[in-house]
Amino acid sequence: MTQTLKQWLATATSSPELAWVVDTVAGACAEIAAVLRLAPLAGQTGLAGATNVQGEAQKQLDVISNDIFVRHLRANAAVSILVSEELDEALHLNDEGGFMVACDPLDGSSNLDVNVTVGTIFSILAVDPKAPDLLQPGTRQLAAGYAAYGPATSLVLSFGDKVATFAIDASGQFALVEDGVSVPSASAEYAINTARARFWDQATSAYVAENVAGETGVAGKRYNMRWIGSMVADIHRILMRGGIFLYPLDSETASKGGRLRLLYEANPMAFLIEAAGGRATTGPQRILEVQPTSIHQRVPVILGSAEEVARVQAHYQRL
Ligand code: FBP
């Protein structure tokens, strides 16, 4: 018999409060999935007319998804703080709650008008509600995951020991698909925005050049390149069948620290990938050990199959 998310949560963590927070996040994702399905007919795929703290134009669905998250989490007394890509400041929700949620409510939203998979990314940490520490390294995450809104709505979840995947069933509830997903250690697929090649550092250029050389170069095998431009969709593919995702530090993003955000993009994805047996690095440093200095901090992100990430790390060590 298929296990529901609630049934799975009852055994996957010894903390009923943490299970409650995860279940609340999943409820928000299920509602976002339902809104996305009808968005083209509801005329909701366009711009909202505002910019977020990152200076990016918000889509209507960015704002709607963020509002859904706020409403669901506010109704959960265990959550005291929400950090969201769409909110300039951390939002205080409940006085006594011992948990903080960091999220990108709708990642990859530039893909919405072309009906390509987008997602929600989330990270859950413990906080003292009276003096919340918002800047904890990723090693302190208690749980993390994402929802991928594609042909099926998938929820991918980890408490750090293993990774489980769920899909929305006919009744709108998440049901277990696979418990114990592992990312293959070797792969011949890489994901990077090659239009940025002129900005890359030496390590990235050398790694990609080896892949392009395929069986005629030191990698000794032919590679394929895949770049969806929606992090959740790229990472979901890598988790399921292996590969590597790179958004490295380059000369254009260097002044900002990178492109992707540490608290609600890099950390949760690194937590999942490591729990599935892969690796996640900035190049020189394990992502999960980066000490955050601000809630919207950006970092370089290189993660996926252990052998591929190790090859990139070796290039960084040679610099
Ligand atoms: P948003 O959170 O602003 O959507 O940006 C994140 C993202 O869309 C990732 O999902 C994706 O991997 C990356 O940006 C694509 O960046 P680029 O457009 O530079 O290829």
Side-chain angles (χ1 to χ4, degrees), residues 12-149:
T13 167
S14 55
S15 164
E17 283 217 313
L18 179 57
W20 183 29
V21 177
V22 171
D23 192 47
T24 300
V25 167
C29 294
E31 187 174 335
I32 293 170
V35 169
L36 291 178
R37 264 199 305 276
L38 299 177
L41 294 174
Q44 290 170 328
T45 53
L47 291 173
T51 41
N52 65 16
V53 67
Q54 336 278 339
E56 297 155 347
Q58 283 178 313
K59 298 269 176 157
Q60 290 179 64
L61 286 165
D62 284 323
V63 177
I64 292 169
S65 303
N66 187 65
D67 290 349
I68 291 172
F69 247 79
V70 171
R71 176 162 43 78
H72 280 255
L73 293 182
R74 202 186 286 286
N76 184 322
V79 182
S80 57
I81 301 284
L82 171 65
V83 167
S84 164
E85 180 182 359
E86 303 306 330
L87 300 171
D88 298 6
E89 307 287 340
L91 183 67
H92 178 91
L93 293 172
N94 294 294
D95 285 344
E96 302 299 329
F99 296 95
M100 153 179 159
V101 176
C103 79
D104 181 350
L106 201 55
D107 179 71
S109 54
S110 60
N111 286 308
L112 281 168
D113 10 10
V114 289
N115 198 21
V116 164
T117 297
V118 291
T120 296
I121 314 173
F122 59 89
S123 161
I124 303 174
L125 297 122
V127 282
D128 173 353
K130 302 213 164 40
D133 178 4
L134 308 182
L135 303 177
Q136 304 179 52
T139 46
R140 304 254 288 271
Q141 292 172 106
L142 301 176
Y146 62 79
Y149 311 110

Side-chain angles (χ1 to χ4, degrees), residues 216-284:
T216 67
V218 294
K221 60 182 177 187
R222 182 169 293 204
Y223 278 77
N224 244 335
M225 196 279 280
R226 294 283 180 269
W227 182 253
I228 298 173
S230 185
M231 188 189 198
V232 168
D234 278 313
I235 301 297
H236 194 61
R237 183 192 61 250
I238 289 165
L239 198 63
M240 294 293 119
R241 67 176 194 212
I244 181 170
F245 173 97
L246 304 101
Y247 216 120
L249 195 67
D250 61 35
S251 60
E252 202 182 45
T253 58
S255 63
K256 295 180 182 165
R259 163 77 162 90
L260 299 171
R261 278 47 66 104
L262 177 60
L263 261 58
Y264 41 81
E265 291 177 326
N267 270 343
M269 291 307 196
F271 189 79
L272 287 170
I273 288 287
E274 286 201 6
R279 287 196 193 191
T281 179
T282 62

Side-chain angles (χ1 to χ4, degrees), residues 291-312:
Q291 173 59 53
T293 52
S294 67
I295 59 172
H296 296 296
Q297 179 178 346
R298 297 172 190 259
V299 280
V301 174
I302 299 160
L303 48 74
S305 292
E307 286 180 19
E308 291 303 314
V309 177
R311 273 183 51 218
V312 182

